[in-house]
C-alpha cells in the first residue's frame, strides 16, 4: 500500500494557540452567557467547557502519565457509544458545580500542560499500541 502524497500534518505547534483563543473566548463571556444553550441538545456553554476540560484532563492523565484507572471491556460499537455517553454525563454533572472562573482557570492550566505534552512527542515515533488497541478491533468497532 503506497502512502505517497499523504505526508503528516504536524499540528502540535498550533494546539496552544487554539486553546488560548478558546480560553480568551470563555473569559470574555458574562455570567448569563455561560448558561446559554448550544447546538448540543441539553448542553449549555458551561457544559461544553466542562466537556473540553475533562477530555483534556483524561488525555493528559492517560497519554503523559500512563494512568489507566478504569479497565473498560469494549466489544461492540454500542459499547463505545455507551462508554462515551457515560463519561460525558459524569463529567458534565461534576463540572456544573464549578464557577466559570474556576473552569477557565483550570482549562488554562490543563491546556498549557497538554500543549507541552503534545510538543514533546516525536510525531514520527511508532505509536504505543497499548494505547491505540489492535487495528482489527478498531476497524471492527467503527464499521
Amino acid at each position: 500500500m503506497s502512502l505517497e502524497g499523504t505526508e503528516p500534518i504536524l499540528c502540535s505547534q498550533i494546539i496552544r494557540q487554539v486553546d488560548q483563543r478558546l480560553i480568551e473566548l470563555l473569559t470574555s463571556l458574562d455570567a448569563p452567557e455561560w448558561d446559554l444553550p448550544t447546538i448540543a441538545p441539553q448542553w449549555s456553554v458551561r457544559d461544553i467547557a466542562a466537556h473540553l476540560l475533562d477530555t483534556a484532563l483524561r488525555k493528559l492523565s492517560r497519554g503523559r502519565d500512563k494512568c489507566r484507572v478504569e479497565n473498560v471491556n469494549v466489544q461492540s460499537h454500542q459499547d463505545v457509544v455507551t462508554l462515551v455517553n457515560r463519561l460525558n454525563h459524569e463529567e458534565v454533572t461534576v463540572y456544573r458545580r464549578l464557577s466559570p472562573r474556576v473552569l477557565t482557570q483550570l482549562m488554562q492550566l490543563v491546556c498549557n500542560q497538554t500543549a507541552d505534552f503534545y510538543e514533546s512527542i516525536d510525531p514520527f515515533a511508532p505509536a504505543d499500541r497499548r494505547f491505540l488497541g489492535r487495528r482489527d478491533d478498531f476497524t471492527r468497532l467503527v464499521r
Side-chain angles (χ1 to χ4, degrees):
M1 176 177 173
S2 172
L3 296 179
E4 188 174 320
T6 58
E7 285 73 33
I9 299 171
L10 304 178
C11 59
S12 66
Q13 299 301 320
I14 64 168
I15 290 173
R16 189 180 306 276
Q17 295 169 23
V18 171
D19 287 343
Q20 190 56 45
R21 295 270 167 78
L22 172 63
I23 292 163
E24 289 170 7
L25 172 66
L26 293 174
T27 303
S28 74
L29 300 176
D30 60 28
E33 289 176 308
W34 278 80
D35 295 317
L36 289 174
T38 66
I39 61 169
Q42 302 176 1
W43 278 22
S44 67
V45 171
R46 179 191 315 266
D47 298 335
I48 298 294
H51 172 68
L52 294 172
L53 172 62
D54 187 72
T55 300
L57 284 166
R58 284 187 286 116
K59 284 182 180 180
L60 193 59
S61 294
R62 187 172 177 119
R64 182 193 68 186
D65 302 337
K66 308 293 187 243
C67 180
R68 310 283 193 273
V69 175
E70 185 175 8
N71 189 8
V72 181
N73 184 15
V74 175
Q75 297 295 320
S76 68
H77 174 76
Q78 186 56 48
D79 289 347
V80 173
V81 171
T82 301
L83 173 64
V84 169
N85 286 338
R86 179 179 62 83
L87 291 173
N88 289 342
H89 176 75
E90 291 171 357
E91 70 196 16
V92 169
T93 299
V94 169
Y95 291 117
R96 277 185 182 146
R97 300 176 182 129
L98 302 180
S99 69
R101 182 177 179 186
V102 169
L103 277 171
T104 305
Q105 289 175 341
L106 284 172
M107 188 169 287
Q108 178 72 58
L109 175 71
V110 172
C111 286
N112 283 335
Q113 290 183 20
T114 303
D116 289 344
F117 170 63
Y118 288 144
E119 290 167 1
S120 75
I121 296 172
D122 177 359
F124 300 103
D128 182 351
R129 295 199 52 85
R130 290 173 294 139
F131 181 71
L132 297 174
R134 292 193 344 239
R135 183 178 181 170
D136 57 327
D137 288 345
F138 178 75
T139 303
R140 179 178 48 84
L141 290 175
V142 296
R143 284 188 197 167

